[in-house]
Amino acid sequence: DVKVTQSSRYLVKRTGEKVFLECVQDMDHENMFWYRQDPGLGLRLIYFSYDVKMKEKGDIPEGYSVSREKKERFSLILESASTNQTSMYLCASIPGGYSPNQPQHFGDGTRLSIL
Amino acid sequence: AQSVTQPDIHITVSEGASLELRCNYSYGATPYLFWYVQSPGQGLQLLLKYFSGDTLVQGIKGFEAEFKRSQSSFNLRKPSVHWSDAAEYFCAVGPTTNDMRFGAGTRLTVKP
């Protein structure tokens, strides 16, 4: 089974802090994704990555950046955290190439609170 | 771009009763369609998926879903709900699984 591990289940930070959310997958997947989940809005894509050092903006990239230095690890960075970034953050991965039959595999999420 | 609507924010059913969760999508061609379930404090687990072929697909935990092209719908069903089915359910659609859009979710409460 694919294992997607998010380093923190709960995180509390202060406004203006630089925040790192880490995600690691163990299946050598090329593609990785970061979503935020808010009540009534479902999951919205922040950024995704097709390979090491490759990244693409999703639907709501403002206020976020990402880093993919190793294939198995995809980090989400809040450069200067704000209260409106309080949310649940979910990481997902999928094999690369054209893989229409492969569903995304999700981590358990990080619930981030910005005070 | 594709979009997904789950009209019901919250549904309550009695244990043992049947369940249907609605999902409507907007997309120009036949998309890839998924249902995921999220238990409290957990990530999303895939219940079932549809790509092509038989429009009635079976998933895990006794769930099934039916693709109706004429109605742009992909509703999730279960004949008899168990208390452990209480969770949030998300429908997702995309031209590929690299480019998916998720609905807002339907929260299911199961009454004893």
Side-chain angles (χ1 to χ4, degrees), chain A residues 44-79:
Chain A
R44 293 178 292 165
L45 182 64
I46 305 171
Y47 267 97
F48 60 100
S49 169
Y50 287 127
D51 204 345
V52 175
K53 297 192 186 296
M54 303 295 289
K55 60 184 179 183
E56 295 287 341
K57 292 180 180 179
D59 296 326
I60 52 163
E62 295 78 19
Y64 303 94
S65 63
V66 290
S67 172
R68 184 107 181 260
E69 296 296 320
K70 293 185 177 181
K71 192 174 185 180
E72 67 271 18
R73 184 181 298 271
F74 192 34
S75 302
L76 180 70
I77 304 159
L78 287 66
E79 296 289 343

Side-chain angles (χ1 to χ4, degrees), chain A residues 9 31 33 35 37 40-43 50 59 88 90 94-95 97-104 106-109, chain B residues 9 32 34 36 38 40-46 49 51 88 90 95-105:
Chain A
R9 295 295 300 274
N31 299 347
F33 307 81
Y35 295 89
Q37 179 184 2
L41 297 177
L43 278 70
Y50 287 127
D59 296 326
M88 169 75 104
L90 291 165
I94 193 172
Y98 183 66
S99 306
N101 292 333
Q102 298 297 320
Q104 293 186 14
F106 285 85
D108 285 339
Chain B
I9 297 172
Y32 295 101
F34 305 84
Y36 284 86
Q38 184 181 37
Q42 303 295 316
L44 274 65
Q45 179 184 18
L46 180 70
K49 59 189 178 185
F51 298 129
E88 189 152 23
F90 292 93
T96 72
T97 53
N98 279 332
D99 184 15
M100 295 204 306
R101 295 297 180 274
F102 289 80

Side-chain angles (χ1 to χ4, degrees), chain B residues 37-81:
Chain B
V37 61
Q38 184 181 37
S39 298
Q42 303 295 316
L44 274 65
Q45 179 184 18
L46 180 70
L47 281 176
L48 46 78
K49 59 189 178 185
Y50 174 78
F51 298 129
S52 64
D54 191 348
T55 56
L56 184 64
V57 292
Q58 302 297 320
I60 63 171
K61 306 185 180 188
F63 285 91
E64 67 178 26
E66 185 171 14
F67 170 60
K68 292 186 177 179
R69 184 191 306 275
S70 62
Q71 298 177 19
S72 296
S73 69
F74 188 56
N75 294 348
L76 182 71
R77 300 194 294 246
K78 187 169 185 178
S80 178
V81 169

